[in-house]
Coordinates of all heavy atoms in Angstrom, one line a residue:
N1 N 90.3 128.4 76.4 CA 90.0 127.9 77.7 C 88.5 128.0 78.0 O 87.9 129.0 77.6 CB 90.8 128.6 78.8 CG 91.7 127.7 79.6 OD1 91.5 126.5 79.5 ND2 92.6 128.3 80.3
C2 N 88.0 127.0 78.7 CA 86.5 127.0 79.0 C 86.4 127.0 80.5 O 87.2 126.3 81.2 CB 85.9 125.8 78.3 SG 84.1 125.7 78.6
H3 N 85.4 127.6 81.0 CA 85.1 127.6 82.5 C 84.5 126.3 82.9 O 84.4 126.0 84.1 CB 84.3 128.8 82.9 CG 82.9 128.7 82.4 ND1 82.5 129.0 81.1 CD2 81.7 128.4 83.0 CE1 81.2 128.8 81.0 NE2 80.7 128.5 82.1
L4 N 84.0 125.5 82.0 CA 83.4 124.2 82.3 C 84.4 123.1 82.3 O 85.3 123.0 81.6 CB 82.3 123.9 81.3 CG 81.2 124.9 81.2 CD1 80.2 124.5 80.0 CD2 80.4 125.0 82.5
P5 N 84.2 122.1 83.3 CA 85.2 121.0 83.3 C 85.0 120.1 82.1 O 83.9 119.9 81.6 CB 84.8 120.2 84.6 CG 83.4 120.6 84.9 CD 83.2 122.0 84.3
I6 N 86.1 119.6 81.6 CA 86.1 118.7 80.4 C 86.0 117.3 80.9 O 86.8 116.8 81.8 CB 87.4 118.9 79.6 CG1 87.5 120.3 79.1 CG2 87.5 117.9 78.4 CD1 88.9 120.7 78.5
I7 N 85.0 116.5 80.4 CA 84.9 115.1 80.7 C 85.1 114.4 79.4 O 84.6 114.7 78.4 CB 83.4 114.9 81.2 CG1 83.2 115.7 82.5 CG2 83.2 113.4 81.4 CD1 81.8 115.6 83.0
F8 N 86.0 113.3 79.5 CA 86.3 112.6 78.3 C 86.2 111.1 78.5 O 86.5 110.6 79.6 CB 87.8 112.9 77.9 CG 88.2 112.3 76.6 CD1 87.7 112.7 75.4 CD2 89.1 111.2 76.6 CE1 88.1 112.1 74.2 CE2 89.5 110.6 75.4 CZ 89.0 111.1 74.2
D9 N 85.7 110.4 77.5 CA 85.4 109.0 77.6 C 86.3 108.3 76.5 O 85.9 108.1 75.4 CB 84.0 108.7 77.3 CG 83.6 107.3 77.4 OD1 84.5 106.4 77.5 OD2 82.4 107.0 77.4
P10 N 87.5 107.9 76.9 CA 88.4 107.2 75.9 C 87.9 105.9 75.5 O 88.3 105.4 74.5 CB 89.8 107.2 76.6 CG 89.4 107.2 78.1 CD 88.2 108.0 78.2
V11 N 87.0 105.3 76.3 CA 86.5 103.9 75.9 C 85.6 104.0 74.7 O 85.8 103.3 73.8 CB 85.8 103.3 77.2 CG1 85.1 102.0 76.8 CG2 86.8 103.1 78.3
H12 N 84.6 104.9 74.8 CA 83.6 105.0 73.7 C 84.2 105.8 72.5 O 83.7 105.7 71.4 CB 82.3 105.6 74.2 CG 81.5 104.6 74.9 ND1 81.5 104.6 76.3 CD2 80.7 103.6 74.5 CE1 80.7 103.6 76.7 NE2 80.2 103.0 75.6
A13 N 85.2 106.6 72.8 CA 85.8 107.4 71.7 C 86.5 106.4 70.7 O 86.6 106.7 69.5 CB 86.8 108.4 72.3
T14 N 87.0 105.3 71.2 CA 87.8 104.4 70.4 C 87.1 103.1 70.1 O 87.1 102.5 69.0 CB 89.1 104.0 71.0 OG1 88.9 103.3 72.2 CG2 90.0 105.3 71.2
G15 N 86.4 102.5 71.1 CA 85.8 101.2 71.0 C 86.8 100.1 71.1 O 86.4 99.0 70.9
V16 N 88.0 100.4 71.4 CA 89.1 99.4 71.4 C 89.9 99.6 72.7 O 90.4 100.6 73.0 CB 90.0 99.6 70.2 CG1 91.1 98.5 70.2 CG2 89.3 99.5 68.9
M17 N 90.0 98.5 73.4 CA 90.7 98.5 74.7 C 92.1 99.0 74.7 O 92.6 99.8 75.5 CB 90.6 97.1 75.4 CG 91.2 97.1 76.8 SD 91.2 95.4 77.5 CE 90.3 94.4 76.5
S18 N 92.8 98.7 73.6 CA 94.3 99.0 73.5 C 94.5 100.5 73.3 O 95.6 101.0 73.5 CB 95.0 98.2 72.5 OG 94.4 98.4 71.2
Y19 N 93.4 101.2 72.9 CA 93.6 102.7 72.6 C 93.2 103.5 73.8 O 93.3 104.7 73.7 CB 92.7 103.1 71.4 CG 93.1 102.5 70.1 CD1 92.1 102.4 69.1 CD2 94.4 102.0 69.8 CE1 92.5 101.8 67.8 CE2 94.7 101.4 68.6 CZ 93.7 101.3 67.6 OH 94.0 100.7 66.4
V20 N 92.7 102.9 74.8 CA 92.2 103.7 76.0 C 93.3 104.5 76.6 O 93.2 105.7 76.9 CB 91.5 102.8 77.0 CG1 91.1 103.5 78.3 CG2 90.2 102.2 76.4
E21 N 94.4 103.8 76.9 CA 95.5 104.5 77.6 C 96.1 105.7 76.8 O 96.2 106.8 77.4 CB 96.7 103.6 78.0 CG 97.7 104.3 78.8 CD 98.9 103.4 79.3 OE1 98.7 102.1 79.2 OE2 99.8 103.9 79.8
P22 N 96.4 105.5 75.5 CA 96.9 106.7 74.8 C 96.0 107.9 74.8 O 96.4 109.0 74.9 CB 97.2 106.2 73.4 CG 97.2 104.7 73.5 CD 96.5 104.4 74.7
L23 N 94.7 107.6 74.6 CA 93.7 108.7 74.6 C 93.5 109.3 76.0 O 93.3 110.5 76.1 CB 92.4 108.2 74.0 CG 92.2 108.2 72.5 CD1 90.9 107.7 72.1 CD2 92.4 109.6 72.0
A24 N 93.6 108.5 77.0 CA 93.5 109.0 78.3 C 94.6 109.9 78.6 O 94.4 111.0 79.2 CB 93.4 107.9 79.4
N25 N 95.8 109.5 78.2 CA 97.0 110.4 78.4 C 96.8 111.7 77.7 O 97.1 112.8 78.2 CB 98.3 109.7 77.9 CG 98.7 108.6 78.7 OD1 98.4 108.5 79.9 ND2 99.4 107.7 78.1
A26 N 96.3 111.7 76.4 CA 96.1 112.9 75.6 C 95.0 113.7 76.3 O 95.1 115.0 76.3 CB 95.7 112.5 74.2
A27 N 94.0 113.1 76.8 CA 92.9 113.9 77.5 C 93.4 114.6 78.7 O 93.1 115.8 78.9 CB 91.8 112.9 77.9
I28 N 94.3 114.0 79.5 CA 94.8 114.7 80.6 C 95.7 115.8 80.2 O 95.6 116.9 80.7 CB 95.6 113.7 81.5 CG1 94.7 112.7 82.2 CG2 96.5 114.4 82.6 CD1 95.4 111.6 83.0
A29 N 96.5 115.6 79.2 CA 97.4 116.6 78.7 C 96.6 117.8 78.1 O 97.1 118.9 78.1 CB 98.4 116.1 77.6
S30 N 95.4 117.5 77.6 CA 94.6 118.5 77.0 C 93.7 119.3 78.0 O 93.0 120.2 77.6 CB 93.7 117.9 75.9 OG 94.4 117.3 74.9
G31 N 93.8 118.8 79.3 CA 93.0 119.5 80.3 C 91.8 118.9 80.8 O 91.0 119.5 81.5
A32 N 91.6 117.6 80.5 CA 90.4 116.9 81.0 C 90.4 116.8 82.5 O 91.4 116.6 83.1 CB 90.3 115.5 80.4
Y33 N 89.2 117.0 83.1 CA 89.1 116.9 84.5 C 88.6 115.5 84.9 O 88.8 115.1 86.1 CB 88.1 118.0 85.0 CG 88.7 119.3 85.1 CD1 88.8 120.1 84.0 CD2 89.2 119.8 86.3 CE1 89.4 121.4 84.0 CE2 89.7 121.1 86.4 CZ 89.8 121.9 85.3 OH 90.4 123.1 85.3
V34 N 87.8 114.9 84.0 CA 87.2 113.6 84.4 C 87.4 112.7 83.2 O 87.3 113.0 82.0 CB 85.7 113.8 84.6 CG1 85.0 112.4 84.8 CG2 85.4 114.7 85.8
L35 N 87.8 111.4 83.5 CA 87.9 110.3 82.5 C 86.8 109.3 82.9 O 86.7 108.9 84.0 CB 89.2 109.7 82.5 CG 90.4 110.5 82.1 CD1 91.7 109.7 82.3 CD2 90.3 111.0 80.7
M36 N 86.0 108.9 81.9 CA 85.0 107.9 82.2 C 85.5 106.6 81.5 O 85.7 106.6 80.3 CB 83.6 108.2 81.6 CG 83.0 109.4 82.2 SD 81.3 109.8 81.7 CE 81.3 109.4 80.0
I37 N 85.8 105.6 82.3 CA 86.4 104.4 81.7 C 85.6 103.2 82.2 O 85.4 103.0 83.4 CB 87.8 104.2 82.2 CG1 88.6 105.4 81.7 CG2 88.4 102.9 81.7 CD1 90.0 105.5 82.2
E38 N 85.1 102.4 81.3 CA 84.3 101.2 81.6 C 85.2 100.1 82.1 O 86.3 99.8 81.5 CB 83.5 100.7 80.4 CG 82.3 101.6 80.2 CD 81.4 101.0 79.1 OE1 80.8 100.0 79.4 OE2 81.5 101.5 78.0
V39 N 84.8 99.4 83.2 CA 85.5 98.3 83.8 C 84.6 97.1 84.0 O 83.4 97.3 84.3 CB 86.2 98.7 85.1 CG1 86.9 97.6 85.7 CG2 87.1 99.9 84.9
H40 N 85.0 95.9 83.7 CA 84.2 94.7 83.8 C 85.1 93.6 84.3 O 86.2 93.5 83.8 CB 83.5 94.4 82.5 CG 82.4 93.4 82.6 ND1 82.6 92.1 82.7 CD2 81.1 93.6 82.7 CE1 81.5 91.4 82.8 NE2 80.5 92.3 82.8
P41 N 84.6 92.7 85.2 CA 85.4 91.6 85.6 C 85.8 90.6 84.5 O 86.8 90.0 84.6 CB 84.6 91.0 86.7 CG 83.2 91.5 86.6 CD 83.3 92.8 85.9
C42 N 84.9 90.5 83.5 CA 85.2 89.6 82.4 C 84.6 90.2 81.2 O 83.5 89.9 80.8 CB 84.6 88.2 82.7 SG 84.9 87.0 81.4
P43 N 85.4 91.1 80.5 CA 84.8 91.8 79.3 C 84.2 90.9 78.3 O 83.3 91.3 77.6 CB 86.0 92.6 78.8 CG 86.9 92.8 80.0 CD 86.7 91.6 80.8
A44 N 84.8 89.7 78.1 CA 84.3 88.8 77.1 C 82.9 88.4 77.4 O 82.1 88.0 76.5 CB 85.2 87.6 77.0
K45 N 82.4 88.4 78.6 CA 81.1 88.0 79.0 C 80.2 89.3 79.2 O 79.0 89.1 79.6 CB 81.1 87.2 80.2 CG 81.8 85.8 80.0 CD 81.7 85.0 81.2 CE 82.4 83.6 80.9 NZ 82.3 82.7 82.1
A46 N 80.7 90.4 79.0 CA 79.8 91.6 79.2 C 78.7 91.7 78.3 O 78.8 91.3 77.1 CB 80.7 92.9 79.1
L47 N 77.5 92.1 78.7 CA 76.3 92.2 77.9 C 76.4 93.3 76.9 O 75.8 93.2 75.8 CB 75.1 92.4 78.8 CG 74.8 91.2 79.7 CD1 73.5 91.5 80.5 CD2 74.6 89.9 78.9
S48 N 77.2 94.3 77.2 CA 77.5 95.4 76.2 C 78.9 96.0 76.4 O 79.4 95.9 77.6 CB 76.4 96.5 76.3 OG 76.6 97.2 77.5
D49 N 79.4 96.5 75.4 CA 80.7 97.2 75.5 C 81.9 96.3 75.9 O 82.9 96.9 76.4 CB 80.6 98.4 76.3 CG 79.6 99.4 75.8 OD1 79.4 99.5 74.6 OD2 79.0 100.2 76.6
G50 N 81.8 95.0 75.9 CA 82.9 94.2 76.3 C 84.2 94.4 75.6 O 85.3 94.5 76.3
P51 N 84.3 94.6 74.3 CA 85.6 94.7 73.6 C 86.3 96.0 74.0 O 87.5 96.1 73.8 CB 85.2 94.8 72.1 CG 83.9 94.1 72.0 CD 83.2 94.4 73.3
Q52 N 85.6 97.0 74.6 CA 86.3 98.2 74.9 C 86.4 98.4 76.4 O 86.9 99.4 76.9 CB 85.5 99.4 74.3 CG 84.1 99.5 74.9 CD 83.2 100.3 73.9 OE1 83.4 100.2 72.7 NE2 82.2 101.0 74.4
S53 N 85.9 97.4 77.2 CA 86.0 97.5 78.7 C 87.3 97.0 79.2 O 87.9 96.1 78.6 CB 84.9 96.7 79.3 OG 83.6 97.2 79.0
L54 N 87.8 97.6 80.2 CA 89.1 97.1 80.9 C 88.7 96.2 82.0 O 87.7 96.3 82.6 CB 89.8 98.3 81.5 CG 90.3 99.4 80.5 CD1 91.0 100.5 81.3 CD2 91.2 98.9 79.4
T55 N 89.6 95.2 82.2 CA 89.5 94.4 83.4 C 89.9 95.2 84.6 O 90.5 96.3 84.5 CB 90.4 93.2 83.3 OG1 91.8 93.6 83.3 CG2 90.1 92.3 82.1
F56 N 89.6 94.8 85.8 CA 90.0 95.5 87.0 C 91.5 95.6 87.1 O 92.0 96.7 87.4 CB 89.4 94.9 88.3 CG 87.9 95.2 88.4 CD1 87.0 94.2 88.1 CD2 87.4 96.4 88.8 CE1 85.6 94.4 88.1 CE2 86.1 96.7 88.9 CZ 85.2 95.7 88.6
P57 N 92.3 94.5 86.9 CA 93.7 94.7 86.9 C 94.3 95.7 85.9 O 95.2 96.5 86.1 CB 94.3 93.3 86.7 CG 93.2 92.4 87.1 CD 91.9 93.1 86.8
A58 N 93.7 95.7 84.7 CA 94.1 96.6 83.6 C 93.8 98.0 84.0 O 94.5 99.0 83.8 CB 93.4 96.3 82.3
F59 N 92.6 98.2 84.7 CA 92.3 99.6 85.2 C 93.2 100.1 86.2 O 93.7 101.2 86.2 CB 90.8 99.6 85.7 CG 90.4 100.9 86.2 CD1 90.1 102.0 85.4 CD2 90.3 101.1 87.6 CE1 89.7 103.2 85.8 CE2 89.9 102.4 88.1 CZ 89.6 103.4 87.2
E60 N 93.6 99.2 87.2 CA 94.5 99.6 88.2 C 95.9 100.0 87.6 O 96.5 100.9 88.0 CB 94.7 98.4 89.2 CG 93.5 98.2 90.1 CD 93.7 97.0 91.0 OE1 94.8 96.6 91.3 OE2 92.7 96.5 91.5
Q61 N 96.3 99.2 86.6 CA 97.6 99.5 85.9 C 97.4 100.9 85.2 O 98.4 101.7 85.2 CB 97.9 98.4 84.9 CG 99.3 98.6 84.2 CD 100.4 98.7 85.2 OE1 100.6 97.8 86.1 NE2 101.2 99.7 85.2
L62 N 96.3 101.1 84.5 CA 96.1 102.4 83.8 C 96.2 103.5 84.8 O 96.8 104.5 84.5 CB 94.7 102.4 83.1 CG 94.3 103.7 82.5 CD1 95.3 104.0 81.3 CD2 92.9 103.6 82.0
M63 N 95.6 103.4 86.0 CA 95.6 104.5 87.0 C 97.1 104.8 87.4 O 97.5 105.9 87.5 CB 94.8 104.1 88.2 CG 93.3 104.0 87.9 SD 92.6 105.6 87.4 CE 92.6 106.5 89.0
Q64 N 97.9 103.7 87.5 CA 99.3 103.9 87.9 C 100.0 104.6 86.7 O 100.9 105.5 86.9 CB 100.0 102.6 88.2 CG 99.5 102.0 89.5 CD 100.1 100.6 89.7 OE1 101.1 100.3 89.2 NE2 99.5 99.8 90.6
D65 N 99.7 104.2 85.5 CA 100.4 104.7 84.3 C 100.0 106.2 84.0 O 100.8 106.9 83.5 CB 100.1 103.9 83.1 CG 100.7 102.5 83.1 OD1 101.5 102.2 84.0 OD2 100.2 101.6 82.4
L66 N 98.8 106.5 84.4 CA 98.3 107.9 84.2 C 98.9 108.9 85.2 O 98.9 110.1 85.0 CB 96.8 108.0 84.2 CG 96.1 107.3 83.1 CD1 94.6 107.4 83.3 CD2 96.5 108.0 81.7
K67 N 99.3 108.4 86.4 CA 99.7 109.3 87.5 C 100.8 110.3 87.1 O 100.7 111.5 87.3 CB 100.2 108.5 88.7 CG 100.5 109.4 89.9 CD 100.6 108.7 91.1 CE 101.0 109.6 92.3 NZ 101.1 111.0 92.1
P68 N 101.9 109.9 86.4 CA 102.9 110.9 85.9 C 102.3 112.0 85.1 O 102.7 113.1 85.2 CB 103.9 110.0 85.2 CG 103.7 108.6 85.7 CD 102.3 108.5 86.0
Y69 N 101.4 111.6 84.2 CA 100.7 112.6 83.3 C 99.9 113.6 84.1 O 99.9 114.8 83.9 CB 99.9 112.0 82.3 CG 100.7 111.2 81.3 CD1 100.9 109.8 81.5 CD2 101.3 111.8 80.2 CE1 101.7 109.1 80.6 CE2 102.0 111.0 79.3 CZ 102.3 109.7 79.5 OH 103.0 109.0 78.6
A70 N 99.2 113.1 85.1 CA 98.4 113.9 86.0 C 99.3 114.8 86.8 O 99.0 116.0 87.0 CB 97.5 113.1 86.9
D71 N 100.4 114.3 87.3 CA 101.3 115.1 88.1 C 101.9 116.2 87.3 O 102.0 117.4 87.7 CB 102.5 114.2 88.6 CG 102.1 113.2 89.7 OD1 101.0 113.4 90.3 OD2 102.8 112.3 90.0
L72 N 102.3 115.9 86.0 CA 102.8 117.0 85.1 C 101.8 118.1 84.9 O 102.1 119.2 84.7 CB 103.3 116.4 83.8 CG 104.6 115.6 83.8 CD1 104.9 114.9 82.5 CD2 105.7 116.6 84.1
A73 N 100.5 117.7 84.8 CA 99.4 118.6 84.5 C 99.0 119.3 85.8 O 98.1 120.2 85.8 CB 98.2 117.9 83.9
G74 N 99.6 119.0 87.0 CA 99.2 119.6 88.2 C 97.9 119.2 88.7 O 97.2 119.9 89.4
R75 N 97.5 117.9 88.4 CA 96.2 117.4 88.8 C 96.4 116.2 89.7 O 97.4 115.4 89.6 CB 95.4 117.0 87.6 CG 95.2 118.1 86.6 CD 93.7 118.2 86.3 NE 93.4 119.4 85.6 CZ 93.6 119.6 84.3 NH1 94.2 118.6 83.6 NH2 93.4 120.7 83.7
T76 N 95.4 115.9 90.5 CA 95.3 114.7 91.3 C 94.1 114.0 90.7 O 93.2 114.6 90.2 CB 95.2 114.9 92.8 OG1 94.0 115.7 93.0 CG2 96.4 115.7 93.3
F77 N 94.1 112.6 90.9 CA 92.9 111.9 90.5 C 92.7 110.7 91.4 O 93.6 110.3 92.1 CB 93.0 111.5 89.0 CG 94.1 110.6 88.7 CD1 93.9 109.2 88.7 CD2 95.4 111.0 88.5 CE1 94.9 108.3 88.4 CE2 96.4 110.1 88.2 CZ 96.2 108.8 88.1
E78 N 91.4 110.2 91.3 CA 91.1 109.0 92.1 C 90.0 108.2 91.3 O 89.3 108.8 90.5 CB 90.5 109.4 93.4 CG 89.3 110.2 93.4 CD 88.8 110.7 94.7 OE1 89.5 111.5 95.3 OE2 87.7 110.2 95.1
A79 N 90.0 106.9 91.5 CA 89.0 106.1 90.9 C 87.7 106.1 91.8 O 87.8 106.1 93.0 CB 89.5 104.7 90.8
R80 N 86.6 106.2 91.1 CA 85.3 106.2 91.8 C 84.4 105.2 91.2 O 84.3 105.1 90.0 CB 84.7 107.5 91.8 CG 85.4 108.5 92.6 CD 84.6 109.7 92.8 NE 85.4 110.9 93.1 CZ 84.9 112.0 93.4 NH1 83.6 112.3 93.3 NH2 85.7 113.0 93.7

């Protein structure tokens, strides 16, 4: 255990949009306090990191999907 908060970036860890959710779940289960996730209205037109960026609807869905994992870990979270 570490006294410092764990910050995890599942987007850059994989570089693939479809891997973001499983890694985010694992990060929460492992004790991460912060997830950094890139979001873009049109990832295909993003100047950088488009293939790994989530759309806004995909991000909203991810937040809903992560809630049970956060609840089990005794954590609350919010998008900022």
Side-chain angles (χ1 to χ4, degrees):
N1 239 347
C2 180
H3 70 283
L4 300 173
I6 299 167
I7 299 172
F8 185 70
D9 182 349
V11 173
H12 284 100
T14 65
V16 179
M17 186 182 347
S18 62
Y19 297 157
V20 171
E21 183 175 351
L23 273 182
N25 290 335
I28 290 172
S30 298
Y33 283 81
V34 176
L35 297 176
M36 296 187 324
I37 300 173
E38 286 187 71
V39 180
H40 193 280
C42 184
K45 294 184 179 183
L47 296 178
S48 68
D49 299 330
Q52 62 204 31
S53 296
L54 299 181
T55 63
F56 286 102
F59 178 73
E60 288 177 21
Q61 184 63 52
L62 175 65
M63 293 296 287
Q64 291 176 21
D65 294 345
L66 291 177
K67 185 166 180 3
Y69 294 93
D71 290 344
L72 284 171
R75 300 231 169 80
T76 58
F77 64 95
E78 63 185 67
R80 292 189 200 185

